[in-house]
Amino acid sequence: MQAFSRRSFVALVGAACAASLVGCSDARSGTAGGNQPAANANAAAPENATNAAVPSQPKSKTLLAWFSRAGENYNPAGNEYLAVGHTTEVAGFIGVALGCDQYEIVPQVPYPEEYTPTCDIAAEELAQNARPAIANPLPDTSGYENIIVGCPIWWGDEPMIVRTFLEGITTAGKNIYVFTTHGGSGLGSTVGNFTSLCPAAHVNSNGFTVAGTQAHDAGEDVTAWLKSLNLTN
């Protein structure tokens, strides 16, 4: 899915996000799908795609953490299914460029594979300011200088499980960098939200964002972004 639009959210969720969001036309970007296309050969899968624990002692000064969702995803050409979420594709490029430690944010209760039910849940979580549980133990981030956090944009914001992650780790004194996949919302409100959630960290305003449907071709742009941040040569 690509990003859910904030305008649709305001119009449809005002009544307490009851059951269905009829106009969920802007899907959540960190997923995708359609006819089970094969994973892009140019996008290296992150080493930690199964969310194995990061090392007890950091192997790098940077931790890459991301949330993504595969399954049915909104596409202007028609909903489709992807085996690998768009945000995971971008995370793969970052992991290859930096060779850094990695942590995938996996929900304890998986989101549905279907698009519309996920829209409904995402809207309800946002309206309730929920903190969905994460399946595996959170990483010890005390030894890292930099934390790169990636996610799709849902309803103009990061999914609420990303807030669970940020509030559960050590962010004080860290440099935090944001990347997103979206369906028209860009970075959404992530930079401002991350700044509020991590007041003792430095949240870099130069985030990277790409339309979910273009994520598999974003390798060069990702590398250029990392170079602009002096995170790689």
Side-chain angles (χ1 to χ4, degrees):
M1 297 185 203
Q2 258 81 71
F4 301 141
S5 68
R6 181 176 291 279
R7 181 176 60 184
S8 298
F9 174 79
V10 172
L12 296 171
V13 182
C17 303
S20 70
L21 293 176
V22 176
C24 210
S25 61
D26 221 346
R28 128 194 202 170
S29 64
T31 57
N35 300 318
Q36 288 277 1
N40 187 285
N42 296 321
E47 295 178 8
N48 201 31
T50 57
N51 200 20
V54 296
S56 57
Q57 295 296 322
K59 295 181 179 179
S60 63
K61 66 179 181 180
T62 299
L63 174 67
L64 166 63
W66 76 98
F67 167 73
S68 190
R69 176 189 166 276
E72 186 183 17
N73 189 62
Y74 175 78
N75 186 310
N79 283 17
E80 58 183 5
Y81 282 85
L82 290 187
V84 177
H86 295 317
T87 308
T88 293
E89 289 188 298
V90 178
F93 292 125
I94 297 173
V96 168
L98 299 183
C100 58
D101 296 340
Q102 302 174 26
Y103 178 87
E104 183 180 7
I105 302 167
V106 175
Q108 188 174 89
V109 178
Y111 289 95
E113 287 194 354
E114 296 78 13
Y115 168 66
T116 298
T118 301
C119 287
D120 297 341
I121 293 170
E124 183 175 359
E125 289 177 347
L126 179 58
Q128 295 179 352
N129 195 28
R131 294 294 185 273
I134 294 173
N136 293 341
L138 294 176
D140 178 0
T141 58
S142 58
Y144 295 101
E145 296 178 18
N146 311 307
I147 303 174
I148 303 175
V149 181
C151 62
I153 297 297
W154 295 357
W155 300 114
D157 285 298
E158 68 280 357
M160 302 305 287
I161 195 168
V162 177
R163 300 188 188 184
T164 306
F165 174 76
L166 289 173
E167 291 176 347
I169 62 171
T170 298
T171 58
K174 311 299 180 186
N175 300 309
I176 296 180
Y177 304 92
V178 185
F179 71 94
T180 69
T181 55
H182 67 90
S185 300
L187 288 168
S189 301
T190 54
V191 173
N193 290 345
F194 285 21
T195 300
S196 297
L197 290 164
C198 310
H202 175 257
V203 179
N204 193 291
S205 61
N206 179 22
F208 177 82
T209 187
V210 63
T213 53
Q214 299 175 18
H216 60 283
D217 294 321
E220 292 185 2
D221 291 337
V222 169
T223 300
W225 173 62
L226 295 171
K227 287 182 176 180
S228 76
L229 301 173
N230 295 317
L231 292 177
T232 186
N233 296 322

